[in-house]
Coordinates of all heavy atoms in Angstrom, one line a residue:
N1 N 2.4 -2.1 -19.5 CA 1.1 -1.5 -19.9 C 0.5 -0.7 -18.7 O 0.4 -1.2 -17.6 CB 0.1 -2.6 -20.3 CG -1.2 -2.1 -20.8 OD1 -1.4 -0.9 -20.9 ND2 -2.1 -3.0 -21.1
H2 N 0.2 0.6 -18.9 CA -0.3 1.5 -17.9 C -1.7 1.8 -18.1 O -2.1 3.0 -18.0 CB 0.6 2.7 -17.8 CG 1.9 2.5 -17.3 ND1 3.0 2.4 -18.1 CD2 2.4 2.3 -16.1 CE1 4.1 2.1 -17.4 NE2 3.8 2.1 -16.2
S3 N -2.5 0.8 -18.4 CA -3.9 1.1 -18.7 C -4.7 1.3 -17.4 O -4.3 0.9 -16.3 CB -4.6 -0.1 -19.5 OG -4.5 -1.2 -18.7
K4 N -5.8 2.1 -17.5 CA -6.6 2.4 -16.3 C -7.9 1.7 -16.5 O -8.5 1.7 -17.6 CB -6.8 3.9 -16.2 CG -5.5 4.7 -15.9 CD -5.8 6.2 -15.8 CE -4.5 6.9 -15.6 NZ -4.8 8.4 -15.5
T5 N -8.4 1.1 -15.4 CA -9.7 0.5 -15.4 C -10.4 1.0 -14.1 O -9.8 1.5 -13.2 CB -9.5 -1.1 -15.3 OG1 -8.8 -1.4 -14.2 CG2 -8.8 -1.6 -16.6
P6 N -11.7 0.8 -14.0 CA -12.4 1.1 -12.8 C -11.8 0.4 -11.6 O -11.4 -0.8 -11.7 CB -13.9 0.7 -13.1 CG -14.0 0.7 -14.6 CD -12.6 0.3 -15.1
F7 N -11.8 1.0 -10.4 CA -11.3 0.4 -9.2 C -12.3 -0.7 -8.8 O -13.5 -0.5 -8.7 CB -11.2 1.5 -8.1 CG -10.2 1.1 -7.0 CD1 -8.9 1.3 -7.2 CD2 -10.7 0.5 -5.9 CE1 -8.0 1.0 -6.2 CE2 -9.8 0.1 -4.9 CZ -8.4 0.4 -5.1
P8 N -11.7 -1.9 -8.7 CA -12.6 -3.1 -8.3 C -13.3 -2.9 -7.0 O -12.7 -2.6 -6.0 CB -11.7 -4.3 -8.3 CG -10.4 -3.8 -9.0 CD -10.4 -2.3 -8.8
P9 N -14.6 -3.1 -6.9 CA -15.4 -2.8 -5.7 C -14.9 -3.8 -4.6 O -14.9 -3.4 -3.4 CB -16.8 -3.1 -6.0 CG -16.9 -3.5 -7.4 CD -15.5 -3.4 -8.0
E10 N -14.5 -5.0 -4.9 CA -14.0 -5.9 -3.9 C -12.7 -5.4 -3.2 O -12.5 -5.5 -2.0 CB -13.7 -7.3 -4.5 CG -15.0 -8.0 -5.0 CD -15.3 -7.6 -6.5 OE1 -14.5 -6.8 -7.1 OE2 -16.3 -8.1 -7.0
L11 N -11.8 -4.8 -4.0 CA -10.6 -4.3 -3.5 C -10.9 -3.0 -2.7 O -10.2 -2.8 -1.7 CB -9.6 -4.0 -4.7 CG -8.2 -3.6 -4.3 CD1 -7.6 -4.7 -3.4 CD2 -7.3 -3.4 -5.5
E12 N -11.8 -2.2 -3.1 CA -12.2 -1.1 -2.4 C -12.7 -1.4 -1.0 O -12.4 -0.8 0.0 CB -13.3 -0.3 -3.1 CG -13.7 1.0 -2.5 CD -14.7 1.8 -3.3 OE1 -14.6 1.8 -4.5 OE2 -15.6 2.4 -2.7
E13 N -13.5 -2.5 -0.9 CA -14.0 -3.0 0.4 C -12.9 -3.5 1.3 O -12.8 -3.2 2.5 CB -15.0 -4.1 0.2 CG -16.4 -3.7 -0.4 CD -17.3 -4.8 -0.7 OE1 -17.2 -5.9 0.0 OE2 -18.1 -4.7 -1.6
L14 N -11.9 -4.2 0.7 CA -10.8 -4.7 1.4 C -9.9 -3.6 2.0 O -9.5 -3.7 3.1 CB -10.0 -5.7 0.5 CG -8.9 -6.5 1.2 CD1 -9.5 -7.4 2.3 CD2 -8.2 -7.3 0.1
T15 N -9.6 -2.6 1.1 CA -8.8 -1.5 1.6 C -9.5 -0.7 2.7 O -8.8 -0.3 3.6 CB -8.3 -0.6 0.5 OG1 -9.5 -0.1 -0.2 CG2 -7.4 -1.3 -0.5
A16 N -10.8 -0.5 2.6 CA -11.5 0.2 3.6 C -11.5 -0.6 4.9 O -11.4 0.0 6.0 CB -13.0 0.4 3.2
F17 N -11.6 -1.9 4.8 CA -11.5 -2.8 6.0 C -10.1 -2.5 6.7 O -10.1 -2.3 8.0 CB -11.6 -4.2 5.7 CG -11.3 -5.2 6.8 CD1 -12.2 -5.4 7.8 CD2 -10.1 -5.8 6.8 CE1 -11.9 -6.3 8.8 CE2 -9.7 -6.6 7.9 CZ -10.7 -6.9 8.9
F18 N -9.0 -2.6 6.0 CA -7.7 -2.4 6.6 C -7.5 -0.9 7.1 O -6.9 -0.7 8.1 CB -6.6 -2.7 5.6 CG -6.4 -4.2 5.4 CD1 -6.7 -4.8 4.2 CD2 -6.0 -5.0 6.5 CE1 -6.6 -6.2 4.1 CE2 -5.9 -6.4 6.4 CZ -6.1 -7.0 5.1
A19 N -8.1 0.0 6.4 CA -8.0 1.4 6.9 C -8.7 1.6 8.2 O -8.2 2.2 9.1 CB -8.6 2.4 5.8
R20 N -9.9 0.9 8.4 CA -10.6 1.0 9.6 C -9.8 0.3 10.7 O -9.8 0.7 11.9 CB -12.0 0.4 9.5 CG -13.0 1.3 8.8 CD -14.4 0.7 8.9 NE -14.5 -0.7 8.5 CZ -14.8 -1.1 7.2 NH1 -14.9 -0.2 6.2 NH2 -14.9 -2.4 6.9
A21 N -9.1 -0.8 10.4 CA -8.3 -1.6 11.3 C -7.2 -0.8 11.9 O -6.7 -1.1 13.0 CB -7.8 -2.9 10.7
T22 N -6.7 0.2 11.2 CA -5.6 1.1 11.8 C -6.2 2.0 12.9 O -5.4 2.6 13.6 CB -5.0 2.0 10.7 OG1 -6.0 2.9 10.3 CG2 -4.5 1.2 9.5
Q23 N -7.5 2.0 13.0 CA -8.1 2.9 14.0 C -7.8 4.4 13.8 O -8.0 5.2 14.6 CB -7.8 2.5 15.4 CG -8.2 1.1 15.7 CD -7.9 0.6 17.1 OE1 -7.2 1.3 17.9 NE2 -8.3 -0.6 17.4
E24 N -7.3 4.7 12.6 CA -7.0 6.1 12.3 C -8.1 6.6 11.4 O -8.2 7.8 11.2 CB -5.7 6.2 11.5 CG -4.5 5.8 12.4 CD -4.2 6.9 13.5 OE1 -4.4 8.1 13.2 OE2 -3.8 6.4 14.5
H25 N -8.9 5.7 10.7 CA -9.9 6.1 9.7 C -11.2 5.4 10.0 O -11.2 4.2 10.2 CB -9.4 5.8 8.3 CG -8.2 6.5 7.9 ND1 -8.2 7.8 7.4 CD2 -6.8 6.2 8.1 CE1 -7.0 8.2 7.2 NE2 -6.1 7.3 7.6
E26 N -12.2 6.2 10.1 CA -13.5 5.7 10.3 C -14.1 5.3 8.9 O -13.4 5.4 7.9 CB -14.4 6.7 11.0 CG -13.9 7.1 12.4 CD -13.9 6.0 13.3 OE1 -14.8 5.1 13.3 OE2 -13.0 5.9 14.2
D27 N -15.4 5.0 8.9 CA -16.0 4.7 7.6 C -15.8 5.9 6.6 O -15.7 7.0 7.1 CB -17.5 4.4 7.8 CG -17.7 3.1 8.5 OD1 -16.9 2.2 8.3 OD2 -18.8 2.9 9.1
G28 N -15.7 5.6 5.4 CA -15.6 6.7 4.4 C -14.3 6.7 3.7 O -14.1 7.4 2.7
Y29 N -13.3 5.8 4.1 CA -12.0 5.7 3.4 C -12.3 5.2 2.0 O -13.0 4.2 1.8 CB -11.1 4.8 4.1 CG -9.8 4.6 3.4 CD1 -8.8 5.5 3.4 CD2 -9.6 3.4 2.6 CE1 -7.6 5.3 2.7 CE2 -8.5 3.2 1.9 CZ -7.5 4.1 1.9 OH -6.3 3.9 1.2
V30 N -11.8 5.8 1.0 CA -11.9 5.3 -0.4 C -10.5 5.3 -1.0 O -9.8 6.4 -1.1 CB -12.8 6.2 -1.2 CG1 -12.9 5.8 -2.7 CG2 -14.2 6.3 -0.6
A31 N -10.0 4.2 -1.4 CA -8.7 4.1 -2.1 C -8.7 4.8 -3.4 O -9.7 4.9 -4.1 CB -8.4 2.6 -2.3
Q32 N -7.6 5.4 -3.7 CA -7.5 6.2 -4.9 C -6.9 5.4 -6.1 O -7.2 5.6 -7.2 CB -6.6 7.4 -4.7 CG -7.1 8.4 -3.7 CD -6.1 9.5 -3.4 OE1 -4.9 9.4 -3.6 NE2 -6.6 10.6 -2.9
T33 N -5.9 4.5 -5.8 CA -5.2 3.8 -6.8 C -4.8 2.4 -6.3 O -4.6 2.2 -5.1 CB -3.9 4.6 -7.1 OG1 -4.2 5.9 -7.4 CG2 -3.1 4.0 -8.2
A34 N -4.6 1.5 -7.2 CA -4.0 0.2 -6.9 C -2.9 -0.1 -7.9 O -3.1 0.2 -9.1 CB -5.1 -0.9 -7.0
I35 N -1.8 -0.6 -7.4 CA -0.7 -1.0 -8.3 C -0.5 -2.4 -8.0 O -0.3 -2.9 -6.9 CB 0.6 -0.1 -8.0 CG1 0.3 1.3 -8.2 CG2 1.7 -0.6 -8.8 CD1 1.4 2.2 -7.7
V36 N -0.4 -3.2 -9.1 CA -0.1 -4.6 -9.0 C 1.2 -4.9 -9.5 O 1.5 -4.6 -10.7 CB -1.2 -5.5 -9.8 CG1 -0.9 -6.9 -9.7 CG2 -2.6 -5.1 -9.2
N37 N 2.1 -5.5 -8.7 CA 3.4 -5.9 -9.1 C 3.5 -7.4 -9.1 O 3.1 -8.1 -8.2 CB 4.5 -5.3 -8.2 CG 4.5 -3.8 -8.2 OD1 4.6 -3.2 -9.2 ND2 4.4 -3.3 -7.0
F38 N 4.1 -8.0 -10.2 CA 4.4 -9.4 -10.3 C 5.9 -9.6 -10.2 O 6.6 -8.9 -10.9 CB 3.8 -10.0 -11.6 CG 2.3 -10.0 -11.7 CD1 1.7 -8.9 -12.3 CD2 1.6 -11.0 -11.1 CE1 0.3 -8.9 -12.4 CE2 0.2 -11.0 -11.2 CZ -0.4 -9.9 -11.9
Y39 N 6.3 -10.6 -9.3 CA 7.7 -10.8 -9.2 C 8.0 -12.3 -9.5 O 7.3 -13.2 -9.0 CB 8.2 -10.5 -7.8 CG 8.0 -9.1 -7.4 CD1 6.9 -8.6 -6.7 CD2 8.9 -8.1 -7.8 CE1 6.7 -7.3 -6.5 CE2 8.7 -6.8 -7.6 CZ 7.6 -6.4 -6.9 OH 7.4 -5.0 -6.6
D40 N 9.1 -12.6 -10.1 CA 9.6 -13.9 -10.3 C 10.1 -14.4 -8.9 O 10.4 -13.6 -8.1 CB 10.7 -14.0 -11.3 CG 10.3 -13.7 -12.7 OD1 9.2 -14.1 -13.1 OD2 11.0 -13.0 -13.4
P41 N 10.1 -15.8 -8.7 CA 10.7 -16.3 -7.5 C 12.1 -15.7 -7.2 O 12.9 -15.6 -8.1 CB 10.8 -17.8 -7.7 CG 9.7 -18.1 -8.7 CD 9.7 -16.8 -9.6
G42 N 12.3 -15.2 -6.0 CA 13.5 -14.6 -5.6 C 13.6 -13.1 -6.0 O 14.6 -12.4 -5.6
G43 N 12.6 -12.6 -6.7 CA 12.6 -11.2 -7.0 C 12.3 -10.3 -5.8 O 11.9 -10.8 -4.8
N44 N 12.5 -9.0 -6.0 CA 12.2 -8.1 -4.9 C 12.0 -6.7 -5.4 O 12.3 -6.3 -6.5 CB 13.4 -8.1 -3.9 CG 14.7 -7.6 -4.5 OD1 14.8 -6.5 -4.9 ND2 15.7 -8.4 -4.5
M45 N 11.5 -5.8 -4.5 CA 11.3 -4.4 -4.7 C 12.3 -3.7 -3.9 O 12.4 -3.9 -2.7 CB 9.9 -3.9 -4.4 CG 9.7 -2.5 -4.5 SD 8.1 -1.9 -4.0 CE 7.1 -2.6 -5.2
G46 N 13.1 -2.8 -4.5 CA 14.1 -2.0 -3.7 C 13.5 -1.0 -2.8 O 12.3 -0.7 -2.9
A47 N 14.3 -0.4 -2.0 CA 13.8 0.7 -1.1 C 13.2 1.8 -2.0 O 13.8 2.2 -3.0 CB 15.0 1.2 -0.3
H48 N 12.1 2.4 -1.5 CA 11.5 3.5 -2.2 C 10.5 4.2 -1.2 O 10.3 3.8 -0.1 CB 10.6 3.0 -3.4 CG 9.5 2.1 -3.0 ND1 9.6 0.8 -2.7 CD2 8.2 2.5 -2.9 CE1 8.4 0.4 -2.4 NE2 7.5 1.3 -2.5
V49 N 10.0 5.3 -1.7 CA 9.1 6.1 -0.9 C 7.8 6.3 -1.6 O 7.8 6.6 -2.8 CB 9.7 7.6 -0.6 CG1 8.7 8.4 0.1 CG2 11.0 7.5 0.1
D50 N 6.7 6.0 -0.9 CA 5.4 6.2 -1.4 C 4.9 7.6 -1.0 O 4.5 7.8 0.1 CB 4.4 5.1 -0.9 CG 4.6 3.7 -1.4 OD1 4.8 3.6 -2.6 OD2 4.7 2.8 -0.6
D51 N 5.1 8.5 -1.9 CA 4.8 9.9 -1.5 C 4.0 10.7 -2.6 O 4.0 11.9 -2.6 CB 6.0 10.7 -1.1 CG 7.0 10.9 -2.3 OD1 6.8 10.3 -3.4 OD2 8.0 11.6 -2.1
S52 N 3.4 10.0 -3.6 CA 2.7 10.7 -4.7 C 1.2 10.9 -4.4 O 0.5 11.4 -5.3 CB 3.0 10.0 -6.0 OG 2.5 8.6 -5.9
E53 N 0.7 10.4 -3.3 CA -0.7 10.5 -3.0 C -1.1 12.0 -2.8 O -0.3 12.8 -2.2 CB -1.0 9.8 -1.7 CG -0.9 8.3 -1.8 CD 0.6 7.8 -1.9 OE1 1.4 8.5 -1.3 OE2 0.8 6.7 -2.4
D54 N -2.3 12.3 -3.3 CA -2.8 13.7 -3.1 C -3.1 14.0 -1.6 O -2.8 15.1 -1.2 CB -4.1 13.9 -3.9 CG -3.8 13.9 -5.4 OD1 -2.7 14.2 -5.8 OD2 -4.8 13.5 -6.1
D55 N -3.6 13.0 -0.9 CA -4.0 13.2 0.5 C -3.1 12.4 1.3 O -3.3 11.2 1.4 CB -5.5 12.8 0.7 CG -6.0 13.1 2.1 OD1 -5.2 13.4 3.0 OD2 -7.2 12.9 2.3
K56 N -2.1 13.0 2.0 CA -1.1 12.2 2.7 C -1.7 11.7 4.1 O -1.0 11.0 4.8 CB 0.1 13.1 3.0 CG 0.8 13.7 1.8 CD 1.8 12.7 1.3 CE 2.7 13.3 0.2 NZ 2.1 13.3 -1.1
S57 N -2.9 12.1 4.4 CA -3.5 11.7 5.7 C -4.0 10.3 5.6 O -4.3 9.6 6.6 CB -4.6 12.6 6.2 OG -5.7 12.6 5.3
N58 N -4.2 9.8 4.3 CA -4.7 8.4 4.1 C -3.6 7.4 4.1 O -2.5 7.7 3.6 CB -5.5 8.3 2.8 CG -6.9 9.0 3.0 OD1 -7.5 8.9 4.0 ND2 -7.4 9.6 1.9
P59 N -3.8 6.2 4.6 CA -2.7 5.2 4.6 C -2.4 4.6 3.2 O -3.3 4.6 2.3 CB -3.3 4.1 5.5 CG -4.8 4.2 5.3 CD -5.0 5.7 5.1
V60 N -1.2 4.2 3.1 CA -0.8 3.4 1.9 C -1.0 1.9 2.4 O -0.4 1.6 3.4 CB 0.6 3.6 1.5 CG1 1.1 2.6 0.4 CG2 0.8 5.1 0.9
I61 N -1.8 1.2 1.7 CA -2.0 -0.2 2.2 C -1.3 -1.2 1.2 O -1.5 -1.1 0.0 CB -3.5 -0.5 2.2 CG1 -4.2 0.4 3.2 CG2 -3.8 -2.0 2.5 CD1 -5.7 0.4 3.2
S62 N -0.5 -2.0 1.7 CA 0.2 -3.0 0.9 C -0.2 -4.4 1.2 O -0.3 -4.8 2.4 CB 1.7 -2.8 1.2 OG 2.5 -3.8 0.5
L63 N -0.6 -5.1 0.2 CA -1.0 -6.5 0.3 C 0.0 -7.4 -0.4 O 0.3 -7.1 -1.6 CB -2.4 -6.7 -0.2 CG -3.5 -5.9 0.4 CD1 -4.8 -6.1 -0.4 CD2 -3.7 -6.2 1.8
N64 N 0.4 -8.5 0.2 CA 1.2 -9.5 -0.5 C 0.4 -10.8 -0.6 O 0.0 -11.3 0.4 CB 2.5 -9.7 0.4 CG 3.4 -10.8 -0.3 OD1 3.7 -10.7 -1.5 ND2 3.8 -11.8 0.4
L65 N 0.3 -11.2 -1.8 CA -0.5 -12.4 -2.1 C 0.3 -13.5 -2.7 O 1.0 -13.2 -3.7 CB -1.7 -12.1 -3.0 CG -2.6 -11.0 -2.5 CD1 -3.7 -10.6 -3.6 CD2 -3.3 -11.4 -1.2
G66 N 0.3 -14.7 -2.2 CA 0.9 -15.8 -2.8 C 2.3 -16.2 -2.4 O 2.8 -17.2 -2.8
A67 N 3.0 -15.3 -1.7 CA 4.4 -15.7 -1.3 C 4.7 -15.0 0.0 O 4.2 -13.9 0.3 CB 5.4 -15.3 -2.4
S68 N 5.6 -15.6 0.7 CA 6.0 -14.9 2.0 C 7.0 -13.7 1.6 O 7.6 -13.7 0.5 CB 6.7 -15.9 2.9 OG 7.9 -16.4 2.3
C69 N 7.1 -12.8 2.5 CA 8.0 -11.7 2.3 C 8.4 -11.0 3.6 O 7.8 -11.3 4.6 CB 7.3 -10.6 1.4 SG 6.0 -9.7 2.2
V70 N 9.4 -10.2 3.5 CA 9.8 -9.3 4.6 C 9.5 -7.9 4.2 O 10.0 -7.4 3.2 CB 11.3 -9.5 5.0 CG1 11.7 -8.5 6.1 CG2 11.6 -10.9 5.4
F71 N 8.6 -7.2 5.0 CA 8.2 -5.8 4.7 C 8.9 -5.0 5.7 O 8.8 -5.1 6.9 CB 6.7 -5.7 4.8 CG 6.2 -4.4 4.3 CD1 5.8 -4.2 3.0 CD2 6.1 -3.3 5.2 CE1 5.3 -3.0 2.6 CE2 5.6 -2.1 4.8 CZ 5.2 -1.9 3.5
L72 N 9.8 -4.0 5.2 CA 10.5 -3.1 6.1 C 10.0 -1.7 5.9 O 9.7 -1.3 4.8 CB 12.0 -3.1 5.6 CG 12.7 -4.5 5.7 CD1 14.1 -4.3 5.1 CD2 12.7 -5.0 7.1
V73 N 9.9 -1.1 7.1 CA 9.4 0.3 7.1 C 10.6 1.2 7.5 O 11.2 1.0 8.6 CB 8.3 0.5 8.1 CG1 7.9 2.0 8.1 CG2 7.1 -0.3 7.7
G74 N 11.0 2.1 6.7 CA 12.1 3.0 7.0 C 11.7 4.3 7.5 O 10.5 4.6 7.7
T75 N 12.6 5.2 7.7 CA 12.4 6.6 8.1 C 13.0 7.5 7.1 O 13.6 7.1 6.1 CB 13.0 6.8 9.5 OG1 14.5 6.8 9.3 CG2 12.7 5.8 10.5
A76 N 12.8 8.8 7.3 CA 13.4 9.8 6.4 C 14.9 9.8 6.5 O 15.6 10.3 5.5 CB 12.8 11.2 6.8
D77 N 15.5 9.2 7.5 CA 16.9 9.2 7.7 C 17.5 7.8 7.2 O 17.2 6.8 7.9 CB 17.3 9.4 9.2 CG 18.8 9.4 9.4 OD1 19.6 9.1 8.5 OD2 19.2 9.8 10.5
R78 N 18.2 7.8 6.1 CA 18.7 6.5 5.6 C 19.7 5.9 6.4 O 20.1 4.8 6.2 CB 19.2 6.7 4.1 CG 18.0 7.0 3.2 CD 18.5 6.7 1.7 NE 17.4 6.8 0.8 CZ 16.9 5.7 0.2 NH1 17.4 4.5 0.4 NH2 15.9 5.8 -0.6
N79 N 20.2 6.6 7.4 CA 21.2 6.1 8.3 C 20.6 5.2 9.4 O 21.3 4.4 10.1 CB 22.1 7.2 9.0 CG 23.0 7.9 7.9 OD1 23.5 7.2 7.1 ND2 23.0 9.2 8.0
E80 N 19.3 5.3 9.6 CA 18.5 4.5 10.5 C 18.2 3.2 9.9 O 17.8 3.1 8.7 CB 17.3 5.2 11.0 CG 17.5 6.4 11.8 CD 16.3 7.0 12.4 OE1 15.3 6.3 12.6 OE2 16.2 8.3 12.5
K81 N 18.3 2.1 10.6 CA 17.9 0.8 10.1 C 16.4 0.7 10.0 O 15.6 1.2 10.8 CB 18.4 -0.3 11.1 CG 19.9 -0.6 11.0 CD 20.2 -1.8 11.8 CE 21.5 -2.4 11.3 NZ 21.5 -3.8 11.3
P82 N 15.9 0.0 8.9 CA 14.5 -0.1 8.7 C 13.9 -1.1 9.8 O 14.6 -1.9 10.4 CB 14.4 -0.8 7.3 CG 15.7 -0.8 6.7 CD 16.7 -0.5 7.8
I83 N 12.6 -0.9 10.0 CA 11.9 -1.7 11.0 C 11.1 -2.8 10.3 O 10.3 -2.5 9.4 CB 10.9 -0.8 11.8 CG1 11.6 0.4 12.4 CG2 10.1 -1.6 12.8 CD1 10.7 1.6 12.8
P84 N 11.4 -4.1 10.7 CA 10.6 -5.2 10.1 C 9.2 -5.2 10.6 O 8.9 -4.8 11.6 CB 11.4 -6.4 10.5 CG 12.4 -6.0 11.5 CD 12.4 -4.5 11.6

């Protein structure tokens, strides 16, 4: 289901907090979109690129709730190992 609802104010406050914590963004950061993914135990998300944002100067903020995970950051060169 790809329904659209108003962006929750609590999530907006949380993303603004993390954006300020990067020290790259002062007050005024407003998240554009939230995507919620649910995974079964042992499930995972494959390698992908978050590049559909209109404003590439704003950060992509990823939150993991409820389970431990390993978050890897890659580069444009797939021959380089991702950074944990």
